[in-house]
Every structure is written in C-alpha cells, then in structure tokens.
Amino acid sequence: MDKQPIKHWALDDRPREKLLLKGIDSLSNAELIAILINNGIKNMSAVDLAKDLLNAVNNDLQRLGKLSVKEIQRLNIKGLGEAKAIAINAAFALGTRRDCSIKRKTKIFSSKDIAPYLQAQLQYKQHEIFMVVYLNRANKILHHQIISEGGITGTVADPRIIIKIALEHHATSIILSHNHPSGNLKPSLQDELLTRKIKDASKYFDIEVLDHIIVSDEGFFSFADEGIL
C-alpha cells in the first residue's frame, strides 16, 4: 500500500502544522529534519526520508552534525540528494554558531570561561584544527583565528604565524586550543612539545601563553588546570 503524502495526513501529524499548533518541542527529531528536507519522493514522505537518515547514523545527532554534504550523500539515502543534504548541513552549522555565540565570553579568567566556546566551535570537526584566542591586558578577547587544519590524528601550528597575528592585534596573552576527533582528551607528547615551543617563542615578545585547551565531544583538558603548561 502506497504511503500517503504529508498533505493527506491528519493535521496533527504534519510537521509544520504540528509545530504551529503544539510548538517545536512537540516534534520528534525525524519531524524536525523533515521540515528541513521539505518534501519526499514517490511513496516516501519527508518524514520517512528523515527516519532513514537517522537510522543510518544510529539516531546519533552529534554524528549527523559532523557529516559534510558529501558524507551525507554517501549514506545513500534514497531521495536525499545534494539540495536536501545542504539544507541539513546548513542547519547544523547554524546551530553550532548559535551555541558558540551564547558560550563566548569577552573576558577570560579561567579555562571554564573559554572552554565551552572552544568546545562548541571545534568538537564536531572530524579533523584536527588548531585555534588561538588573542587577549589584551584586561583578558578581553581581541581576536580568534584558526592557525592550521590537519588530518584525523594531528595538525601542526607554526609559532611564527601565531606570534605575527598576536603582534598585529596588540595581544599580550594567548590561549592555544585544538580538538581531538577521537574523543580522547589526553595530550600527546607532540601536544606538550608544541605547547612548550610556542610558549618559549612567545616569551621573546612578552606574550604570555595562558593555557592550551584540548576539546572533544567528551569535554575539555586544560594544560593550565593540570599544571603542565
């Protein structure tokens, strides 16, 4: 028996109408994604496509949020083409940016003031990214910048580039950060050596390295909090 298109469903079962009638909290994840997908294909509604997509990622929204447009397409969900994949990818990116804007504080006193922002920014990336936050004497954020992007297991950050940007923005201190896509928060020997290298180089320009924070979807690790900076 053919499945009915959404327009033939009972009013309470249509995602858009349901949202208007009962509020967004009444919708399931599949229904929310169906709104992004917008329409289905023959014999499959947008909700059916959304359910197939969620099943493909074991109903893990964090996993779905990490996927690129091409990776969503490679899941081979019938009826889920490039346009729909773009809509889903854009929605997750917007959610991440909203999360970052809420969690960013302009004045930093400890790892807890900056780690949630860094985690929101980097935790969904599938490759390592090295970012630096630049601060003034009052510990207010002047600038933040991605310094390098690497593979799944590592990235390289050039101290010269980090210091050059600090001087351009008249920063007096910096916070280093990178993500571990594996979820493991323990710093590697390479992480410790790179931190020491950047710290030593920064001293010549009276720039203080306040912390190096590793983030993942498991949480964060602060070099300063652990006394190894």
Side-chain angles (χ1 to χ4, degrees), residues 10-229:
L11 194 61
D12 283 358
D13 292 332
R14 303 178 198 170
R16 293 183 188 83
E17 287 81 354
K18 186 175 178 181
L19 187 153
L20 291 172
L21 284 171
K22 299 183 177 180
I24 199 162
D25 290 337
S26 70
L27 272 65
S28 67
N29 291 337
E31 289 170 326
L32 289 171
I33 293 172
I35 292 175
L36 298 173
I37 290 174
N38 192 38
N39 53 62
I41 58 174
K42 186 178 180 180
N43 299 331
M44 291 191 72
S45 70
V47 176
D48 293 326
L49 296 182
K51 287 179 178 177
D52 284 350
L53 174 61
L54 287 171
N55 286 335
V57 295
N58 296 319
N59 291 296
D60 187 339
L61 289 179
Q62 285 207 3
R63 181 181 169 191
L64 181 57
K66 293 178 181 180
L67 299 181
S68 67
V69 171
K70 296 296 183 185
E71 287 169 333
I72 293 173
Q73 289 182 274
R74 283 199 288 269
L75 293 173
N76 293 320
I77 307 298
K78 184 180 179 182
L80 196 62
E82 184 179 66
K84 290 179 171 61
I86 287 171
I88 293 166
N89 191 248
F92 274 97
L94 192 61
T96 297
R97 291 184 185 185
R98 175 185 177 275
D99 202 19
C100 289
S101 67
I102 291 172
K103 292 177 177 177
R104 174 170 174 168
K105 295 186 178 181
T106 56
K107 203 164 186 178
I108 309 302
F109 294 104
S110 71
S111 62
K112 292 179 181 178
D113 292 330
I114 190 67
Y117 166 74
L118 295 170
Q119 190 178 14
Q121 186 100 326
L122 301 176
Q123 66 178 331
Y124 298 115
K125 303 296 184 182
Q126 296 195 67
H127 56 279
E128 279 203 12
I129 292 177
F130 197 98
M131 176 185 284
V132 178
V133 179
Y134 298 87
L135 303 96
N136 64 14
R137 290 188 183 280
N139 277 21
K140 289 185 177 181
I141 296 176
L142 298 169
H143 179 67
H144 74 272
Q145 187 162 328
I146 292 175
I147 302 300
S148 64
E149 300 190 31
I152 295 174
T153 58
T155 186
V156 177
D158 189 336
R160 293 171 297 182
I161 294 174
I162 293 171
I163 292 169
K164 178 176 180 290
I165 296 170
L167 295 173
E168 288 173 351
H169 290 274
H170 306 289
T172 58
S173 60
I174 58 177
I175 295 172
L176 313 175
S177 180
H178 75 281
N179 62 316
H180 278 180
S182 67
N184 177 22
L185 289 168
K186 185 178 179 180
S188 65
L189 177 59
Q190 183 182 1
D191 292 336
E192 294 186 27
L193 292 174
L194 179 59
T195 303
R196 195 175 304 130
K197 184 177 180 181
I198 295 171
K199 184 178 179 181
D200 290 343
S202 298
K203 286 179 182 177
Y204 290 101
F205 299 89
D206 292 324
I207 297 169
E208 184 180 4
V209 177
L210 296 178
D211 206 344
H212 186 166
I213 298 174
I214 300 172
V215 300
S216 77
D217 54 11
E218 300 291 328
F220 73 91
F221 178 96
S222 164
F223 277 55
D225 292 352
E226 298 299 324
I228 58 173
L229 186 63

